[in-house]
Amino acid sequence: RSKSFLFYFIFLLIFYVISTYGPYQRAQMTGDILLGGLFPIHFGVSSKDQDLAARPESTQCVRFNFRGFRWLQAMIFAIDEINNSSALLPNITLGYRIFDTCNTVSKALEATLSFVAQNKIDSLNLDEFCNCTDHIPSTIAVVGAAGSAVSTAVANLLGLFYIPQISYASSSRLLSNKNQYKSFMRTIPTDEYQATAMADIIEHFEWNWVIAVASDDDYGRPGIEKFEKEMEERDICIHLNELISQYFEDHEIQALADRIENSTAKVIVVFASAPDIEPLIKEMARRNITDRIWLASEAWSGSSLIAKPEYLDVVAGTIGFALKAGRIPGFREFLQQVQPKKDSHNEFVREFWEETFNCYLEDSPRLQESDSTSFRPLCTGEEDITNVETPYLDYTHLRISYNVYVAVYSIAQALQDILTCTPGNGLFANNSCADIKKMEAWQVLKQLRHLNYTNSMGEKMHFDENADLAANYTIINWHRSAEDGSVVFKEVGYYNMHTKRGAKLFIDKTKILWNGYGSEVPFSNCSEDCEPGTRKGIIDSMPTCCFECTECSDGEYSNHRDASVCTKCPNNSWSNGNHTFCFLKEIEFLSWTEPFGIALAICAVVGVVLTAFVMVVFVRFRNTPIVKATNRELSYVLLFSLICCFSSSLVFIGEPQDWTCRLRQPAFGISFVLCISCILVKTNRVLLVFEAKIPTSLHRKWWGLNLQFLLVFLCTFVQVMICVIWLYNAPPSSYRNHDIDEIIFITCNEGSVMALGFLIGYTCLLAAICFFFAFKSRKLPENFTEAKFITFSMLIFFIVWISFIPAYFSTYGKFVSAVEVIAILASSFGMLACIFFNKVYIILFKPSRNTIEEVRCSTAAHAFKVAAKATLKHSAASRKKSSSIGGSSASTPSSSFSLKTNGNDCDPTSVKHKPRVSFGSGTVTLSLSFEESRRSSLM
């Protein structure tokens, strides 16, 4: 009996301590199930220097927060609405214990310990020792807190006991870490999206030089860190990056204001709560700095602490993010019915009433604490709340209040799911269900994670994998009211996080008033925008947003302002003089229609016509001695090859195609080799005839016509094989050369320069051999062979093609083809003129020289010259021999000769026919005599 009494006494003592633990000011109502609440009823605490000379006193909360009190009222309204509902949690009453966090971590933790301690008492299971009717149940969930820094501290503590926490205003992205914050949930979007949205707005208005200010807590630091990353991705620079706190000293605030005032950036991005940013706004207003644009996070974008007429010159035109507004039916009437005498369960009502009417209630503890400087009249508590304008009754856009409403209903719906759960369909072990009368906080947390329902407004509610509710932002602009000069929050756009990039942001620029009155978008860039045709150039030791405008290079362009880089024109285009656009390049090749191409074509045609004319003359006079003496069969082949040479030059004219590129070099190479082979065989044959002293059957066989054609064929076949190998391994093709500014040259890519070198080299080798034989036979009978003229033609050939090599490799475009055409025509005309024009002239204009007698005389004269040279050489050798024996004699040679060919005399003096040389069908007889005058020489 004594032990039972002892336990009962201990329980009463603990119950009393727990029930009174926590901040003395609270809103509390009992029920079957208890919800906790944490709201910033005050903006902060009074700063005292605790020197610990005496026992530390509890800090006092200061500056009443009307919006925070409205959020508290939203929770009470939602609980009353649920308790009065027959559909949701019937026969179950929800109670609440709501504390003021004073927007500080210490006060919030003090209240949170009250929730935790109550739950630990319940875990002792003392019901068997007593039957307590006034027992306070455990807190199964907590709604709050507002600030991210406060929620972070609370979440660390509640997470130890798996007590679910649903925040209505904590948006820090750090709280999405479920490994660290196991029981944290929220009905507000994470700052992960808000930071991206802020960067998108800055990019939308083409700003690149901004100031970033963040609160020095778990809300501001992560938010601004994410914002910095987003800015880096967009190449936007942050000139100043500052931290701020409501507890900064005056000199710190003034130093920060100095840096902002001296900055050239005109846009200030603020990730902070209203109490933290207010000291800076106040200092800016004192200095009358009104040329800045503020970009506000949702934590202060609609705050009554900042939206005051005295600050409006500074903050007018602010662009802010606000949560999507919701609708709470009946909430307006509920707010208007608040009175100190009616709401005895809510101790905050009394202070709210005194702050609203600037008075003291009769039994107010603040009446004794006040001094003579803060005199207020007494009030009855029955004043009309609707006659006073405060943020408390500003229910036009219910954002945070709606989040509180949703949080309470989410907990109630989770409890409803537990209440209606049927065994076998539950979320717990073996699909069991929790007992609503004995449930614990962790079971409610489990149910909340699987929550999925449709609220009274028809919205689907569910928490994602990070325990966040999906939501969007409304973009607001701070206007000045024309009626009373107060702040009006004007909706100017929205940000949808769940659409594709580029379509997330919408802003109606026509609705925005910059700095409260202007419609022109302010300039907040480090450098002036670069005009089209220029690009940004880096300035040493400066951020990338500070640049100088550099003109685009030739072949590049920029067609918009502030281009980071110049775009290279396509291969078929070139930039204009201002480098603002590209125009199509002019296409050039050796055309049939241009004067140069026409001139070359005419020359080629003239060459073909002249060669054809020579061939006609040779065919017409084919039985004349000159035609016969020049080996008429080979001459026909030679003339045909010259026609091919002239014709091949025409393939080089016109737009190059693959087939023309593959045809022109082989056609030129084979034609020239055929031509030079004919000349080589002709020259070599005559030389062999005249150097042979006594023709034999072997000579006659060697000089046969068939063998001559075989030699021509073999020489040409080598060139054909070079062309075949070339076309098989590396065939030439049409090629567009874009290397020249403003012009595209269509040329032929030869495929293999080595193959082209072999083709021309082989041709030159044959020409060199031909030149050697022609030079050696240059003194043969003039009417019999054209060796002298062949020598000249080969000289012309070498001069042309030696000049061709450097000209070919030093020119470009269409002139490459022109150079080769000129070389082909020059060498072809040289061979045609040197070899055939003299013969055509004799045939047509000097027929007297085109006789057999003329040919025979020429031949005999050549034979005499050869014999005379041999005789003189023999005589000189004899005299030298006689002189060596011992005597000297001198003789004067005299010679006479007579020439006779087939009975026709070339010389009237006939002589004896002593030596005889036979050639062909003619007989040539030579007679030589010498007289020597011997003279005696005295020794």
Side-chain angles (χ1 to χ4, degrees):
R1 184 182 181 91
S2 60
K3 289 183 179 180
S4 299
F5 177 78
L6 179 61
F7 275 108
Y8 180 70
F9 176 77
I10 293 173
F11 173 77
L12 289 178
L13 181 62
I14 294 175
F15 172 76
Y16 173 79
V17 173
I18 295 301
S19 62
T20 59
Y21 181 79
Y24 72 91
Q25 198 174 15
R26 69 188 70 183
Q28 181 171 306
M29 188 178 71
T30 60
D32 301 323
I33 299 175
L34 200 63
L35 303 184
L38 297 172
F39 293 90
I41 308 303
H42 293 84
F43 282 114
V45 296
S46 59
S47 58
K48 291 184 179 181
D49 185 12
Q50 302 284 0
D51 59 1
L52 301 182
R55 182 185 180 121
E57 297 179 358
S58 177
T59 53
Q60 183 180 359
C61 299
V62 294
R63 294 190 299 171
F64 192 83
N65 184 0
F66 289 95
R67 291 178 72 222
F69 181 69
R70 188 180 70 209
W71 301 342
L72 179 148
Q73 289 290 80
M75 179 175 177
I76 295 175
F77 174 77
I79 291 175
D80 289 347
E81 199 173 59
I82 293 168
N83 289 338
N84 295 327
S85 172
S86 58
L88 193 59
L89 298 177
N91 302 320
I92 295 178
T93 302
L94 294 181
Y96 54 83
R97 295 178 70 201
I98 303 175
F99 295 99
D100 179 14
T101 65
C102 300
N103 204 35
T104 59
V105 172
S106 59
K107 290 292 184 181
L109 288 178
E110 185 179 352
T112 306
L113 285 173
S114 175
F115 302 142
V116 173
Q118 180 64 47
N119 287 23
K120 292 304 293 180
I121 291 297
D122 280 358
S123 66
L124 296 177
N125 196 15
L126 300 177
D127 288 346
E128 59 181 289
F129 299 103
C130 66
N131 183 13
C132 303
T133 56
D134 294 331
H135 169 60
I136 299 177
S138 300
T139 302
I140 54 92
V142 176
V143 177
S148 295
V150 176
S151 287
T152 300
V154 172
N156 280 319
L157 184 55
L158 294 180
L160 295 175
F161 304 97
Y162 292 92
I163 300 175
Q165 172 191 2
I166 302 182
S167 175
Y168 47 84
S170 299
S171 56
S172 173
R173 63 189 183 94
L174 298 181
L175 291 168
S176 295
N177 185 353
K178 295 301 107 182
N179 292 326
Q180 186 172 356
Y181 308 105
K182 302 178 180 63
S183 62
F184 180 83
M185 310 175 87
R186 54 185 161 192
T187 57
I188 185 174
T190 172
D191 286 336
E192 187 84 13
Y193 304 112
Q194 187 173 193
T196 304
M198 283 184 166
D200 285 344
I201 284 183
I202 292 172
E203 186 177 34
H204 176 78
F205 289 112
E206 298 180 355
W207 296 323
N208 68 5
W209 193 239
V210 300
I211 298 171
V213 178
S215 57
D216 190 11
D217 54 27
D218 288 341
Y219 169 72
R221 287 192 300 268
I224 211 68
E225 179 183 338
K226 173 64 175 176
F227 175 73
E228 288 175 6
K229 292 180 180 178
E230 293 290 336
M231 298 289 273
E232 288 178 5
E233 292 178 2
R234 293 165 171 78
D235 291 329
I236 300 174
C237 299
I238 299 176
H239 184 210
L240 295 176
N241 197 342
E242 303 287 346
L243 294 177
I244 194 171
S245 172
Q246 60 179 311
Y247 303 111
F248 269 16
E249 299 292 339
D250 290 342
H251 68 89
E252 294 178 293
I253 295 296
Q254 291 172 3
L256 175 57
D258 287 339
R259 291 192 291 273
I260 293 176
E261 187 175 10
N262 295 329
S263 173
T264 56
K266 301 301 181 183
V267 175
I268 306 174
V269 179
V270 180
F271 249 104
S273 62
D276 287 329
I277 195 63
E278 186 198 17
L280 177 62
I281 298 294
K282 186 176 181 180
E283 178 64 21
M284 299 282 281
R286 188 186 68 83
R287 299 186 182 200
N288 196 29
I289 302 174
T290 61
D291 61 341
R292 299 298 194 269
I293 298 299
W294 300 81
L295 189 56
S297 65
E298 46 76 29
W300 71 278
S301 62
S303 173
S304 59
L305 192 63
I306 307 299
K308 295 178 180 179
E310 57 264 33
Y311 297 152
L312 197 51
D313 289 339
V314 174
V315 297
T318 295
I319 302 293
F321 285 88
L323 302 176
K324 181 180 178 182
R327 186 169 54 87
I328 307 177
F331 187 49
R332 176 180 181 179
E333 292 75 14
F334 177 80
L335 292 177
Q336 294 175 348
Q337 292 172 1
V338 63
Q339 276 190 344
K341 295 180 180 179
K342 292 181 182 179
D343 300 304
S344 59
H345 60 278
N346 188 347
E347 299 178 8
F348 299 107
V349 173
R350 299 177 64 83
E351 184 178 0
F352 161 73
W353 202 265
E354 293 174 350
E355 294 295 329
T356 300
F357 295 100
N358 195 24
C359 65
Y360 288 125
L361 295 171
E362 291 183 359
D363 55 348
S364 172
R366 282 171 293 278
L367 182 60
Q368 289 76 24
E369 297 173 1
S370 63
D371 52 28
S372 58
T373 59
S374 59
F375 173 78
R376 291 183 180 183
L378 294 176
C379 46
T380 62
E382 295 180 357
E383 288 81 5
D384 188 0
I385 191 68
T386 60
N387 292 332
V388 182
E389 185 176 342
T390 64
Y392 170 74
L393 291 179
D394 183 14
Y395 40 74
T396 54
H397 299 289
L398 298 177
R399 307 182 194 279
I400 302 297
S401 299
Y402 182 71
N403 286 354
V404 174
Y405 185 77
V406 169
V408 174
Y409 263 88
S410 296
I411 297 171
Q413 187 62 46
L415 296 174
Q416 178 70 15
D417 292 342
I418 292 175
L419 179 64
T420 58
C421 177
T422 57
N425 295 321
L427 299 176
F428 305 100
N430 300 321
N431 296 326
S432 61
C433 298
D435 186 354
I436 192 71
K437 296 181 181 179
K438 297 181 179 181
M439 76 182 164
E440 298 182 34
W442 65 269
Q443 293 173 315
V444 179
L445 177 61
K446 176 73 171 179
Q447 202 71 44
L448 281 169
R449 289 178 176 176
H450 293 80
L451 186 65
N452 194 346
Y453 74 103
T454 303
N455 64 11
S456 59
M457 295 181 62
E459 298 175 336
K460 290 189 175 297
M461 310 298 296
H462 72 279
F463 294 96
D464 61 18
E465 65 275 6
N466 294 323
D468 300 328
L469 275 182
N472 299 319
Y473 290 109
T474 298
I475 300 174
I476 60 175
N477 183 222
W478 289 24
H479 290 193
R480 187 192 301 269
S481 173
E483 299 176 357
D484 56 5
S486 62
V487 177
V488 177
F489 302 116
K490 180 74 172 179
E491 292 188 7
V492 295
Y494 60 83
Y495 188 85
N496 190 338
M497 298 181 273
H498 305 293
T499 58
K500 63 181 180 180
R501 186 178 180 89
K504 294 181 178 183
L505 177 66
F506 169 77
I507 294 180
D508 188 351
K509 295 182 180 179
T510 60
K511 295 181 179 180
I512 298 179
L513 291 180
W514 301 103
N515 299 112
Y517 56 85
S519 58
E520 183 179 354
V521 178
F523 182 82
S524 184
N525 292 26
C526 182
S527 303
E528 293 288 340
D529 292 346
C530 293
E531 296 296 326
T534 62
R535 63 171 179 84
K536 300 176 184 178
I538 298 175
I539 301 177
D540 292 339
S541 71
M542 291 293 289
T544 56
C545 300
C546 302
F547 50 83
E548 58 185 1
C549 296
T550 305
E551 187 177 7
C552 293
S553 303
D554 291 339
E556 297 180 346
Y557 75 100
S558 64
N559 56 6
H560 61 278
R561 295 172 61 89
D562 206 22
S564 298
V565 294
C566 294
T567 305
K568 187 176 180 60
C569 291
N571 284 338
N572 62 343
S573 302
W574 193 252
S575 58
N576 66 329
N578 295 329
H579 303 281
T580 56
F581 64 90
C582 294
F583 60 88
L584 292 177
K585 289 183 178 180
E586 182 182 354
I587 297 178
E588 283 197 4
F589 52 86
L590 191 58
S591 172
W592 292 99
T593 58
E594 64 176 295
F596 194 30
I598 293 173
L600 293 177
I602 291 174
C603 291
V605 172
V606 169
V608 171
V609 172
L610 288 177
T611 308
F613 173 74
V614 172
M615 181 176 285
V616 170
V617 171
F618 266 54
V619 172
R620 171 70 178 80
F621 297 95
R622 60 185 176 278
N623 294 320
T624 59
I626 285 184
V627 175
K628 287 182 179 181
T630 56
N631 198 337
R632 59 188 175 190
E633 289 79 6
L634 279 180
S635 295
Y636 296 155
V637 177
L638 176 58
L639 288 168
F640 170 75
S641 66
L642 283 174
I643 291 176
C644 293
C645 290
F646 284 114
S647 300
S648 67
S649 66
L650 296 174
V651 187
F652 289 81
I653 305 174
E655 181 177 354
Q657 305 290 336
D658 286 346
W659 69 271
T660 57
C661 290
R662 293 166 186 169
L663 173 64
R664 64 184 194 173
Q665 297 294 1
F668 143 71
I670 294 172
S671 300
F672 265 79
V673 166
L674 179 61
C675 176
I676 294 174
S677 298
C678 293
I679 297 172
L680 176 62
V681 171
K682 286 178 61 178
T683 307
N684 187 44
R685 170 180 174 272
V686 172
L687 185 63
L688 289 175
V689 167
F690 279 90
E691 286 191 350
K693 295 178 174 58
I694 301 176
T696 63
S697 60
L698 179 62
H699 289 113
R700 295 189 183 97
K701 183 178 180 180
W702 180 258
W703 297 330
L705 189 61
N706 292 334
L707 185 58
Q708 296 173 37
F709 282 117
L710 177 61
L711 291 175
V712 172
F713 171 76
L714 290 176
C715 292
T716 308
F717 180 74
V718 174
Q719 186 76 306
V720 170
M721 292 307 300
I722 292 174
C723 295
V724 169
I725 295 172
W726 181 9
L727 294 177
Y728 180 79
N729 291 316
S733 60
S734 176
Y735 168 69
R736 289 178 177 255
N737 187 350
H738 301 275
D739 296 338
I740 308 302
D741 301 350
E742 304 183 15
I743 298 175
I744 297 177
F745 288 117
I746 304 180
T747 59
C748 285
N749 180 6
E750 302 300 350
S752 173
V753 178
M754 182 180 294
L756 178 62
F758 273 116
L759 183 140
I760 297 177
Y762 178 69
T763 306
C764 291
L765 176 64
L766 292 181
I769 298 173
C770 183
F771 174 78
F772 171 76
F773 286 122
F775 182 79
K776 194 171 182 180
S777 59
R778 66 189 183 282
K779 296 181 180 180
L780 293 180
E782 184 177 323
N783 285 1
F784 191 82
T785 183
E786 58 278 353
K788 186 184 300 182
F789 296 106
I790 291 175
T791 304
F792 290 146
S793 68
M794 291 300 102
L795 281 175
I796 294 173
F797 181 88
F798 280 122
I799 292 171
V800 168
W801 287 102
I802 290 174
S803 303
F804 164 78
I805 294 174
Y808 181 84
F809 288 102
S810 62
T811 54
Y812 56 88
K814 64 181 180 181
F815 301 106
V816 175
S817 299
V819 165
E820 193 161 358
V821 171
I822 291 172
I824 292 172
L825 294 177
S827 53
S828 299
F829 273 115
M831 288 187 289
L832 177 64
C834 290
I835 297 174
F836 291 102
F837 280 6
N838 182 51
K839 295 176 178 56
V840 172
Y841 175 78
I842 293 174
I843 292 172
L844 296 180
F845 301 105
K846 299 289 183 179
S848 60
R849 294 179 58 185
N850 189 13
T851 60
I852 190 67
E853 291 81 4
E854 185 73 15
V855 173
R856 285 175 178 172
C857 288
S858 177
T859 305
H862 174 74
F864 169 74
K865 291 176 183 178
V866 172
K869 184 183 293 186
T871 303
L872 291 174
K873 187 176 182 181
H874 176 73
S875 175
S878 298
R879 285 196 304 271
K880 187 176 182 180
K881 185 176 181 181
S882 300
S883 174
S884 63
I885 294 175
S888 70
S889 63
S891 63
T892 302
S894 64
S895 64
S896 64
F897 66 89
S898 66
L899 199 67
K900 185 176 183 180
T901 306
N902 288 343
N904 297 321
D905 295 337
C906 295
D907 195 332
T909 52
S910 299
V911 295
K912 294 173 64 176
H913 307 294
K914 293 264 175 116
R916 178 175 293 179
V917 178
S918 298
F919 175 71
S921 58
T923 302
V924 179
T925 304
L926 296 174
S927 177
L928 301 172
S929 63
F930 292 87
E931 291 183 2
E932 294 184 351
S933 300
R934 299 178 180 267
R935 296 179 183 178
S936 299
S937 52
L938 298 174
M939 300 297 294

